[in-house]
Amino acid sequence: MSIMSPAERARERAVAIAVLADLALCGPFVAVAIWSGSLTMIADGVRGTLLICVGLVSYATLRNINRRRTGNFEYGTAKLEQAVSILIAMMLVVAACFIIYKIATKVPAASETGNAAYLATFFVTFNLFLNTAQMLSLRRAARDGASIIVVSQYRARIAKTIGSVVVVGCVALDQLAGDMMLSYWADIVGSTVVAVIMLTTTYGMLKEAMPDLLDRSLAEPMQMEINKVLAQFFDEYDDIIRVRSRRLGNGAEVEITLTFEGDRPFSQIAGILDRMRAALAQALPGAQIVLVPQPAGHHVMA
């Protein structure tokens, strides 16, 4: 059984606490949202419910990664993490579309008063404090950028917290203002802001995830760093057969196939490869580097 690092435990704990806190609040929040008739609160509840489902999947995936239960993924789990990130983004789109539909079909009507209004205001305010606390916790866990899942959860929580600020103001106006048209427009503005925040968050997450899933090559400045190292060791290998590189989560994967003269001892070749690997690691911090030696005259298919 693999032993997790303190950083991995902290990331896992942050995601677990965030999901459990949302689960505890979800039922009462949605019930009060329906009772009060606040579209803004309903929109926030729908978004929160969908993100809880994705949060559970994210947590399960993170547990498997941290416990090294992903042995079938020989090239790492970055794509798996990005797939979960895309799932989060897609759920945000679904929620945003539902909210837009409700906005388009909403008509002015008197809001609930009394206990429903006070409870609605209380729950959205409590939700704001809860989101802020979880956002700060996830921020600490995502600071090193080592886990795409935790970073995605953190970004989703930022959007949720910002949306909660708007929700508190709009729900308070909607439920407590006592003016039907003011309540109507406060509800429309609040739910619209929630939808826009979700769509903006979705765009950012997809923009980052898709290049990794499509094996986008490294940016030119990073490729130049690889070329500098190859030039530095030019006299120590015979030829370059292949150089492949791609983004790998927040880092990179570099595979270089080189040929060496057949009469060189393996210990000498191994020493050269070790020095090249160290130079590449210094030029590309966090990169996964694979150097493949071949005898001179031997070529592999690209």
Side-chain angles (χ1 to χ4, degrees), residues 11-226:
R11 288 193 288 266
E12 190 174 299
R13 183 168 55 250
V15 174
I17 291 173
V19 174
L20 288 173
D22 285 344
L23 273 171
L25 184 64
C26 180
F29 190 96
V30 172
V32 172
I34 295 172
W35 182 21
S36 66
S38 169
L39 176 57
T40 301
M41 195 173 176
I42 291 172
D44 208 38
V46 170
R47 176 184 59 169
T49 302
L50 289 172
L51 287 179
I52 286 172
C53 297
V54 180
L56 290 170
V57 174
S58 299
Y59 177 65
T61 304
L62 189 62
R63 279 180 59 86
N64 286 330
I65 291 171
N66 287 344
R67 286 159 180 75
R68 315 299 187 262
R69 296 171 184 165
T70 53
N72 292 331
F73 298 89
E74 295 182 5
Y75 296 97
T77 58
K79 286 191 176 184
L80 177 60
E81 294 191 58
Q82 290 291 27
V84 175
S85 179
I86 287 180
L87 178 60
I88 295 173
M90 292 296 97
M91 292 298 98
L92 287 171
V93 169
V94 172
C97 290
F98 172 78
I99 294 167
I100 292 169
Y101 167 76
K102 296 298 289 184
I103 291 170
T105 56
K106 182 177 175 63
V107 295
S111 299
E112 287 286 342
T113 58
N115 291 337
Y118 293 125
L119 276 175
T121 306
F122 167 77
F123 270 100
V124 294
T125 304
F126 181 74
N127 188 48
L128 170 60
F129 283 110
L130 189 65
N131 284 328
T132 302
Q134 299 311 319
M135 180 186 70
L136 295 175
S137 175
L138 286 166
R139 179 178 180 272
R140 289 190 294 271
R143 189 174 296 164
D144 59 5
S147 172
I148 298 168
I149 287 178
V150 178
V151 171
S152 295
Q153 285 287 313
Y154 170 55
R155 289 176 178 172
R157 187 65 58 164
I158 290 175
K160 200 164 185 281
T161 303
I162 294 172
S164 294
V165 174
V166 178
V167 167
V168 168
C170 291
V171 168
L173 281 175
D174 178 25
Q175 298 296 313
L176 305 176
D179 183 301
M180 186 172 70
M181 291 308 297
L182 178 59
S183 296
Y184 170 77
W185 284 110
D187 210 17
I188 290 293
V189 169
S191 49
T192 300
V193 169
V194 172
V196 169
I197 289 173
M198 284 193 286
L199 292 175
T200 302
T201 304
T202 298
Y203 173 76
M205 294 168 73
L206 290 177
K207 184 179 179 181
E208 180 171 330
M210 290 307 296
D212 286 359
L213 292 178
L214 297 175
D215 287 339
R216 188 176 75 179
S217 297
L218 297 182
E220 186 173 346
M222 298 182 76
Q223 293 185 4
M224 288 295 295
E225 293 296 327
I226 297 173

Side-chain angles (χ1 to χ4, degrees), residues 277-301:
R277 191 176 293 106
L280 286 166
Q282 184 176 4
L284 303 171
Q288 292 188 14
I289 299 164
V290 179
L291 300 179
V292 181
Q294 298 284 353
H298 180 83
H299 292 271
V300 296
M301 297 295 292

